[in-house]
Amino acid sequence: MEDEVDRLVAAWRRERPDLDVEPLEVLSRVSRLARHLDRARRLAFAEHQLEPWEFDVLTSLRRAGAPYQLSPGQLLTQTLVTSGTMTNRIDRLTKKGLVERLPDPSDRRGVLVRLTAEGQDRADQALAGLLDQERAILAELSRGDRAELASLLRQLTAPFDNIPG
């Protein structure tokens, strides 16, 4: 079975035989898959009236476990955005009734962001929809192939995930 990347690589090998284009065989497929995944995720989130960034914040809180709350700093670490961006996101989610701000009992100046019941429901429903989309994307792979692919991708991504700062 040939795909678009096979055609792209063949064209580069023809046009630039002096270059080793082997990395394109893997990383162009990863890039194309990321675009398809982004579309599938946006569709799953839109069905639950969520933007991707809203899903990220809500599911960070949901994964924290009961009582589904984190400090803004903890949310920054999990979502990889700036402090100003996080403040804006918390404000917007608060206005929608999906999160609430509470005083941090262990820090008089601090706040905690807690998932509301509506926020938890939307996060749970959107996650289920996302998993349906992702299962469809992976449907052509056997369970063993999926495990092998996950392991290989982990080898590629772990060094990036473990860079301090």
Side-chain angles (χ1 to χ4, degrees):
M1 175 180 1
E2 187 176 72
D3 68 0
E4 187 61 30
V5 174
D6 289 321
R7 291 183 282 280
L8 177 144
V9 167
W12 278 122
R13 285 189 171 133
R14 181 187 69 242
E15 295 299 317
R16 292 295 310 269
D18 57 311
L19 294 177
D20 175 10
V21 296
E22 183 185 23
L24 295 175
E25 294 190 62
V26 173
L27 299 177
S28 289
R29 285 186 175 95
V30 169
S31 177
R32 292 176 65 79
L33 181 58
R35 283 181 272 180
H36 290 294
L37 181 57
D38 185 56
R39 279 191 214 121
R41 286 180 167 200
R42 287 183 181 279
L43 177 63
F45 303 153
E47 288 177 4
H48 302 284
Q49 297 80 47
L50 292 175
E51 293 293 328
W53 66 265
E54 292 173 314
F55 178 82
D56 286 347
V57 174
L58 296 178
T59 55
S60 292
L61 293 165
R62 181 66 172 96
R63 287 190 312 267
Y68 311 113
Q69 64 188 25
L70 295 170
S71 71
Q74 290 169 310
L75 283 169
L76 288 174
T77 301
Q78 291 196 22
T79 60
L80 301 175
V81 298
T82 66
S83 176
T85 298
M86 182 53 66
T87 298
N88 180 284
R89 290 179 176 186
I90 293 168
D91 289 345
R92 292 170 68 184
L93 290 168
T94 300
K95 286 179 186 169
K96 287 185 164 188
L98 301 176
V99 303
E100 59 185 344
R101 280 188 175 93
L102 303 169
D104 185 342
S106 64
D107 178 0
R108 289 186 313 180
R109 297 173 300 164
V111 298
L112 294 172
V113 180
R114 181 182 292 167
L115 200 56
T116 64
E118 171 67 15
Q120 181 179 340
D121 186 53
R122 296 269 284 283
D124 286 349
Q125 289 181 26
L127 177 61
L130 171 63
L131 292 172
D132 288 343
Q133 292 284 336
E134 291 184 352
R135 270 189 215 83
I137 288 171
L138 295 171
E140 297 298 315
L141 299 177
S142 70
R143 182 178 296 275
D145 287 344
R146 290 191 306 266
E148 182 180 1
L149 181 58
S151 177
L152 292 169
L153 290 170
R154 183 180 304 108
Q155 287 178 34
L156 283 177
T157 60
F160 294 104
D161 291 342
N162 295 314
I163 295 173

